Amino acid sequence: MPFLKKHIPALSVALLVTGLLAAARTAAPFDLLLFDRFLPGLGFVQIAGAAVLGFWLTGKFLDPAAAPRWRRRTWLLLSAVFFGQLLLGLTVSPRFLMTGELHFPVPMAIEGGLVYRGEWRSFMPILFLSTILLSGPAWCSQLCYMGGCDLNRAQAGKGFKAFSGPVGGRWYFRLGSVVLVAVAAWLLRSFGAPGWLVVALVAGWGAAGWSIVAFVSPRKRQMAHCNLFCPMGAIVSLVKWVNPVRLRFDRSRCTRCMRCARVCPYAAVTAADLEKGRPAPNCTMCGDCFSACAHGAVEYRFPGLGPSKARTVYLVIVLTLYVVFLMLARI
């Protein structure tokens, strides 16, 4: 069965997508899928389409030369679907919203909402942590609705470049945003701040973030929002180690050509990182460096697997999550 053997990764994604969406459709107390909402009973058609999409995308991502281009396209598609359905939910029909209740489409609201409400078992924190457990830092390279916009704005310039100054200095900004959001949310909750003030502060943070995406990222030619401003990106960098997949540099094959550094949208590769044999902690394992390396020096590592199989397994997990997220990308 040469066909089956060749397409095992793509078939795995298709089957996993089918199983996860079917299980979610059965278990949810309301219609999760848009087909069921607008064409009652035909959610299985949407699931079948999602499986075909997962099969097709797997072939694109397994090709190292094509993977960066398709990552950019699919990530932007996720952002467009997410914000498009939000717009339709506000202007056309609340059926485009997940529950009919509006929540802030700002990543910091995951952390801020958790502290402000004190609901440790709420949906978004559980989804966020589960995603990291399954796919490591892929939240910040394929699954966040703002990240796709930031990547495409950063690439509006003529290629990427490193931030000025020591790369490690960015952690002052990144950890500072985590602390700022947590402290602000705790103070708002402790002092019983009026709802209008909470809404105004979250909206202001969101406006600041979108301004960075629109103007700073293309000017800096890096993902400035994700690298400096977003607290969830910093949290991902701190807790991604619960996932066993790693990205490593084979120093014996590395020629220090720095091509990997030039394509990294997160400024996670420097000469010092190459000497250490691993990228900086803010690496999201997006794989752009893997695709750019002409010497095979960039490797995915997973216990018990060779580098090639480790990359394949990681892509199967990430693409499965991506397609499921795409089908359920609603507030």
Side-chain angles (χ1 to χ4, degrees):
M1 302 290 286
F3 176 85
L4 289 178
K5 185 175 181 180
K6 178 181 178 182
H7 295 287
I8 285 177
L11 289 169
S12 299
V13 171
L15 291 174
L16 287 169
V17 165
T18 301
L20 288 172
L21 288 177
R25 183 186 183 219
T26 301
F30 53 88
D31 290 330
L32 281 176
L33 302 175
L34 284 181
F35 272 41
D36 281 326
R37 293 193 176 195
F38 291 94
L39 300 168
L42 291 183
F44 70 92
V45 176
Q46 185 174 348
I47 293 176
V52 172
L53 175 64
F55 182 95
W56 181 69
L57 283 179
T58 304
K60 300 296 183 182
F61 274 77
L62 285 174
D63 178 3
R69 180 172 67 255
W70 281 101
R71 186 176 74 88
R72 177 181 177 181
R73 291 173 177 175
T74 55
W75 203 4
L76 186 61
L77 174 64
L78 177 67
S79 299
V81 169
F82 180 86
F83 288 109
Q85 290 186 108
L86 172 59
L87 180 62
L88 291 172
L90 294 175
T91 60
V92 177
S93 170
R95 285 189 291 178
F96 284 100
L97 303 176
M98 180 66 77
T99 63
E101 298 178 359
L102 186 61
H103 303 279
F104 280 104
V106 182
M108 61 79 70
I110 301 174
E111 178 199 0
L114 176 63
V115 177
Y116 180 73
R117 293 190 298 268
E119 297 174 1
W120 297 94
R121 288 181 289 183
S122 55
F123 175 74
M124 280 307 299
I126 291 175
L127 176 65
F128 176 73
L129 293 174
S130 300
T131 301
I132 295 174
L133 180 64
L134 291 170
S135 63
W139 179 279
C140 290
S141 62
Q142 191 71 43
L143 303 174
C144 172
Y145 42 83
M146 282 192 73
C149 300
D150 201 22
L151 172 64
N152 279 267
R153 288 298 296 156
Q155 286 190 318
K158 298 179 180 179
F160 297 118
K161 68 176 182 179
F163 284 107
S164 59
V167 174
R170 287 178 294 153
W171 281 97
Y172 291 110
F173 293 96
R174 307 189 83 209
L175 295 179
S177 68
V178 175
V179 173
L180 177 62
V181 169
V183 170
W186 179 79
L187 289 174
L188 291 170
R189 179 186 179 189
S190 299
F191 289 96
W196 67 264
L197 179 58
V198 177
V199 170
L201 289 175
V202 176
W205 184 282
W210 279 111
S211 296
I212 292 172
V213 170
F215 303 110
V216 180
S217 291
R219 182 166 174 253
K220 287 288 186 179
R221 287 156 49 191
Q222 281 290 344
M223 296 173 66
H225 172 272
C226 297
N227 280 321
L228 297 174
F229 187 74
C230 180
M232 305 314 297
I235 293 173
V236 167
S237 296
L238 293 173
V239 302
K240 67 179 182 179
W241 312 110
V242 298
N243 182 273
V245 181
R246 300 287 184 267
L247 197 69
R248 292 293 183 259
F249 304 130
D250 187 331
R251 287 174 289 182
S252 65
R253 282 182 284 176
C254 178
T255 64
R256 312 306 191 268
C257 68
M258 304 307 294
R259 188 179 301 175
C260 53
R262 289 195 293 272
V263 301
C264 179
Y266 302 91
V269 182
T270 65
D273 296 319
L274 294 175
E275 290 299 325
K276 294 176 185 176
R278 61 180 183 273
N282 62 304
C283 168
T284 68
M285 293 202 299
C286 70
D288 287 5
C289 59
F290 175 88
S291 298
C293 182
H295 310 285
V298 182
E299 296 180 343
Y300 285 78
R301 303 280 179 83
F302 186 90
L305 296 179
S308 178
K309 288 186 178 180
R311 177 176 181 263
T312 299
V313 168
Y314 186 68
L315 285 177
V316 166
I317 295 171
V318 171
L319 289 172
T320 298
L321 290 174
Y322 169 80
V323 176
V324 171
F325 274 44
L326 185 66
M327 294 299 108
L328 305 176
R330 305 200 304 282
I331 290 182

